[in-house]
Amino acid sequence: MTTASEEHLTKDAAGGLYWQPAAETLPTRQLGDLQIERLRATLENAYENVPFYRKKLDELGVKPGDVTCHGDVADLPFTTKIDLRDHYPFGMFASPREDVVRVHASSGTTGNPTTVGYTRGDLDVWADLIARTLAAGGVAPGDLLQNAFGYGLFTGGLGLHLGAERLGCTVVPISGGNTERQLKIMRDFGATALSCTPSYAMYLADAARDRGLRPEDLPLRVGFHGAEPWTNELRVQIEAGLGEHALDIYGLSEMGGPGVGYECLCKAGMHVSEDHYLAEIIDPETLRPLPYGEVGELVFTTLSRVAQPLIRYRTRDLCTLIAEPCACGRTSVRMSKPIGRSDDMLIIRGVNVFPSQIEEVLMSIPSIEPHYQIVVDRKGYLDIIEVWVEVGEDIFAETMGDLERFQRSVQSQIYNVLNIQCAVKLKEPKTIQRSEGKAVRVVDRRKAL
Ligand code: DLL
């Protein structure tokens, strides 16, 4: 007897599997038509149910029915993270809150995080997109996925979990951290697949080596790594250290999380799930669309999300779109690895951090002077962040114990907002370098991973 999931799974040309073969290999022309049909439905939903979009579209004099081809997309308004924050928590929902069965939020945001809601149908689509991602790496029922992405409001843990269950493999919801236990469970349970950030994968690889474990002692065959930038050089090291194929996966909370882009075993860029997301590259200065192959900012429009449709969402990620066909047989465009951002967002151990969030905390503490510097570095493969702050003379007159207490209190106030540990260094007045132009608030000493 075949199970429902085995009926889905057919071999691709790269050694992986299709989860939804028809959708994943849809001829370009049909894919384009499907996108326009879904785009119109999305615009209608947004126009009818989200006052923000009704106003924006009315201002531009665009009606959902006016969009008939891809060229019309450039007439549609953009959406930014600020728009989402301004409508916190549920003002961008197109569905009544009662129909929203899940809410996630972006990592590490201060004040108002950006929230994302899913109807039951949205979760269903998400599950299939992650199942596609896992299948592309050859994962099938019978495999065991150790899911070391963080569970909680972050979309990584629960997203991968949902897709693994949809696919029908065994999922171990171990979440992040506790390296000793990760390595034990990996061997005891026989994990054939791993999901976590690339930096954590490398950390696990080093920890395994330090304990005398060779890659062949680990049962892994494939890993799904993303949520932060990484290079092909790191891929080679992770693969050698863990004995797995290390595949890149991309997504962002605003688009519903991972599942937006994923690599097949050709490892030649991430296939964009184009039947559910319309991808564009724009020039971040002029906001004009750029042709495939040019580096620019990635912009997405959701094509099937019901609870929270987003039109031309500016991801701030800089990359290129690759239109040439992939050897695996999938027909979608691929996105290159993001090479940077068009804003100042830092990604520290997978958590998104805006320097302004740290500034807000610091500036709320009276004894701290308005001079600070955020120093980001890497210890092994893990990011570390230090916040150097200038404090008034009076602070240094305190006892050692008082100073330490003050320092710990600043650390914990930053932790409360960002959810990441950082080391606070108290500096004497006028010791942080002043700049004649823009203040250099962030010193990022990390080399590309
Ligand atoms: O990082 C969703 C995710 C979870 C993706 C698990 C992959 C795996 P956010 O926390 O909202 O969502 O962060 C989104 O992270 O705009 C990129 O700047 C960055 N990012 C995500 N994946 C990659 C990747 C999740 N593969 C932001 N390569 C995005 C480079 C990535 N950067």
Side-chain angles (χ1 to χ4, degrees):
M1 201 181 81
T2 54
T3 63
S5 51
E6 281 162 351
E7 284 167 20
H8 280 266
L9 290 163
T10 53
K11 288 202 164 111
D12 70 15
L17 298 160
Y18 295 121
W19 171 246
Q20 293 174 310
E24 290 170 74
T25 58
L26 207 58
T28 314
R29 181 83 187 264
Q30 266 166 271
L31 181 59
D33 291 346
L34 179 70
Q35 286 190 315
I36 294 299
E37 185 190 315
R38 290 187 170 172
L39 174 61
R40 287 165 67 118
T42 298
L43 290 172
E44 224 130 86
N45 181 23
Y47 188 79
E48 290 306 321
N49 300 307
V50 187
F52 166 79
Y53 280 128
R54 175 178 284 254
K55 185 162 173 275
K56 280 232 167 189
L57 289 166
D58 279 346
E59 275 167 11
L60 292 169
V62 182
K63 292 270 177 289
D66 295 345
V67 176
T68 57
C69 65
H70 285 78
D72 294 338
V73 175
D75 299 334
L76 297 172
F78 288 105
T79 311
T80 64
K81 214 178 185 64
I82 294 171
D83 295 326
L84 295 182
R85 289 213 180 118
D86 286 349
H87 294 85
Y88 171 84
F90 305 143
M92 295 293 274
F93 283 6
S95 301
R97 223 269 300 122
E98 309 82 85
D99 295 346
V100 172
V101 297
R102 175 90 70 84
V103 176
H104 279 281
S106 60
S107 52
T109 35
T110 187
N112 295 346
T114 53
T115 41
V116 54
Y118 309 75
T119 60
R120 197 165 292 286
D122 293 336
L123 283 187
D124 232 30
V125 171
W126 194 20
D128 279 325
L129 295 186
I130 303 283
R132 285 185 195 176
T133 306
L134 297 171
V139 174
D143 273 305
L144 188 141
L145 173 75
Q146 180 154 340
N147 186 16
F149 275 120
Y151 280 63
L153 283 177
F154 176 56
T155 51
L158 282 160
L160 268 288
H161 189 106
L162 187 71
E165 288 191 335
R166 168 62 53 92
L167 183 81
C169 63
T170 307
V171 56
V172 180
I174 190 162
S175 198
N178 202 338
T179 304
E180 209 61 59
R181 192 168 62 150
Q182 297 276 357
L183 292 174
K184 178 174 167 54
I185 296 272
M186 193 179 284
R187 282 179 303 147
D188 292 354
F189 290 13
T192 47
L194 170 69
S195 45
C196 60
T197 57
S199 52
Y200 194 56
M202 197 59 227
Y203 188 79
L204 284 175
D206 283 349
R209 196 199 48 228
D210 293 347
R211 285 159 186 75
L213 292 170
R214 293 161 308 167
E216 54 272 29
D217 298 328
L218 303 172
L220 293 177
R221 208 178 64 237
V222 61
F224 302 89
H225 308 302
E228 64 185 5
W230 58 309
T231 55
N232 282 321
E233 287 69 33
L234 186 68
R235 185 205 306 270
V236 172
Q237 295 198 39
I238 294 175
E239 292 190 330
L242 293 177
E244 61 163 40
H245 286 289
L247 302 181
D248 200 354
I249 61 173
Y250 170 89
L252 56 160
S253 330
E254 295 83 355
M255 288 293 118
V260 177
Y262 58 94
E263 274 185 332
C264 63
L265 285 164
C266 293
K267 302 175 191 167
M270 292 176 271
H271 289 278
V272 175
S273 305
E274 279 192 289
D275 48 343
H276 296 283
Y277 300 98
L278 179 75
E280 295 173 79
I281 292 284
I282 62 159
D283 177 325
E285 301 293 324
T286 65
L287 305 185
R288 294 223 176 283
L290 293 173
Y292 285 165
E294 282 191 30
V295 177
E297 183 182 325
L298 192 55
V299 168
F300 283 116
T301 300
T302 64
L303 294 177
S304 57
R305 306 206 51 226
V306 173
Q308 195 174 336
L310 290 187
I311 300 169
R312 304 190 86 200
Y313 182 73
R314 292 188 59 186
T315 66
R316 302 288 179 172
D317 290 318
L318 301 174
C319 69
T320 58
L321 288 177
I322 309 157
E324 288 78 49
C326 181
C328 73
R330 285 173 184 79
T331 46
S332 65
V333 294
R334 283 162 288 149
M335 54 178 278
S336 70
K337 282 179 174 297
I339 54 159
R341 294 194 44 96
S342 66
D343 63 7
D344 58 353
M345 189 179 92
L346 298 163
I347 304 183
I348 313 282
R349 277 172 256 136
V351 177
N352 305 343
V353 175
F354 288 93
S356 57
Q357 299 176 266
I358 297 181
E359 179 170 309
E360 272 174 41
V361 175
L362 298 178
M363 295 307 112
S364 68
I365 305 171
S367 5
I368 289 181
E369 304 287 324
H371 301 290
Y372 69 91
Q373 213 159 42
I374 299 164
V375 182
V376 188
D377 209 340
R378 211 168 259 137
K379 209 177 196 169
Y381 290 92
L382 288 190
D383 302 322
I384 48 168
I385 173 164
E386 282 183 1
V387 179
W388 298 0
V389 290
E390 267 184 29
V391 286
E393 300 271 11
D394 47 324
I395 288 273
F396 287 100
E398 314 254 347
T399 66
M400 209 51 184
D402 286 338
L403 271 181
E404 274 171 19
R405 256 190 301 281
F406 178 71
Q407 191 174 10
R408 275 201 302 273
S409 129
V410 181
Q411 260 164 225
S412 78
Q413 290 183 59
I414 295 178
Y415 182 82
N416 287 342
V417 170
L418 298 181
N419 252 300
I420 55 163
Q421 297 286 358
C422 68
V424 167
K425 297 235 158 114
L426 303 183
K427 301 277 178 188
E428 293 188 3
K430 307 215 168 29
T431 51
I432 291 182
Q433 205 183 348
R434 305 291 194 263
S435 154
E436 289 182 354
K438 280 185 187 206
V440 182
R441 296 297 191 201
V442 179
V443 180
D444 197 340
R445 297 185 179 143
R446 295 175 296 181
K447 295 215 173 61
L449 260 180

